[in-house]
Amino acid sequence: MLQARGLDLRIAGRELVRALELSLAPGECWALLGRNGVGKTSLLLALAGLRPAQAGSVELDGRPLATHPRTELARRMAVLLQDEASDFWGSTLDYVLLGRYPRSRSAWHRDAEGIGSARRLLAQFDLAAHGDQPYRSLSGGERQRARIAQALLQDADILLLDEPLQHLDLRHQAQVMDSLSQSAANGKTVLAALHEPSHAARYCGFSLLLYDAGRASLGRTGDMLTQANLEALYQCRLEAAGTRSFLPT
């Protein structure tokens, strides 16, 4: 279990998270929702041990993250960052296989099992024909799907994903969310920063809403995604557009 206890995060004197209590358990799929700049990325980085908190702690299995060796954390947690350089020199298959690094002898170690798993993920995300293509030549959406394939190949217990649906068309948004939901069904812990509440409603059992000035609310998605909560979250008027779906007015 990954837990935040009394977590405070600030940047440039601005409060992003205040006294957050959060427990992410195996088999749970969480959506992280909030406006641009509210602190979603900072929270994900703190939960991954990549950004220091001003107060409180992040614990994995009841122990502070700092007490876990980095090699262990790399096997336990996969982190998909929002931005990444696109100039990787190798093929798309080479790029996806980097997900095996925490469990391999070296970054370039190849084994039949890993290659087979990587090719299955490429096929799953409509990239089978691009395995030998230079990664840097892929479109933005293709690179994003390769990045998600790499994260899934890591086979970590916990998936922390910052805007996993960016650059993706509707088909591939659904494809990725199906994969993340299935990962949770298979016992993984998933937390994904999303922009569309409808994706949270359909695929995520739990939601964390991050407001301004450090305020947050969390719980079961069905309880969180009310019109009142979402209007306060996004600071605009909304109207219902079908079951648990809203559009700005």
Side-chain angles (χ1 to χ4, degrees), residues 18-184:
R18 180 176 64 248
L20 178 66
E21 299 286 337
L22 173 66
S23 294
L24 306 176
E28 293 179 348
C29 187
W30 284 75
L32 174 58
L33 300 172
R35 295 186 301 116
N36 290 339
V38 79
K40 299 187 299 295
T41 295
S42 293
L43 176 56
L44 287 169
L45 291 175
L47 292 173
L50 300 175
R51 186 191 190 284
Q54 278 62 53
S57 65
V58 178
E59 299 178 357
L60 178 61
D61 296 338
R63 290 170 46 205
L65 283 186
T67 68
H68 294 263
R70 296 304 303 182
T71 52
E72 178 192 348
L73 290 179
R75 289 191 291 267
R76 297 291 306 280
M77 290 195 290
V79 182
L80 180 76
L81 301 177
Q82 189 177 142
D83 297 311
E84 181 187 79
S86 61
D87 57 354
F88 176 74
W89 57 266
S91 70
T92 304
L93 177 62
D94 290 332
Y95 180 82
V96 172
L97 280 168
L98 289 176
R100 294 278 288 183
Y101 177 56
R103 304 177 188 277
S104 300
R105 294 193 298 271
S106 73
W108 308 114
H109 176 70
R110 296 291 185 267
D111 62 87
E113 180 184 357
I115 291 172
S117 296
R119 289 198 180 279
R120 284 191 291 274
L121 283 165
L122 287 173
Q124 179 177 329
F125 292 115
D126 296 334
L127 292 170
H130 301 281
D132 297 324
Q133 180 178 335
Y135 174 76
R136 67 179 65 178
S137 71
L138 298 177
S139 72
E142 288 166 345
R143 284 198 300 271
Q144 184 69 1
R145 279 141 49 203
R147 296 177 69 220
I148 293 164
Q150 183 193 95
L152 292 176
L153 186 66
Q154 192 172 332
D155 194 26
D157 300 324
I158 299 164
L159 292 162
L160 302 175
L161 307 114
D162 195 358
E163 297 192 21
L165 305 184
Q166 64 179 345
H167 308 306
L168 299 185
D169 57 35
L170 289 176
R171 166 187 166 82
H172 292 111
Q173 288 179 25
Q175 192 179 72
V176 167
M177 291 307 301
D178 280 334
S179 296
L180 297 180
S181 178
Q182 187 59 52
S183 292

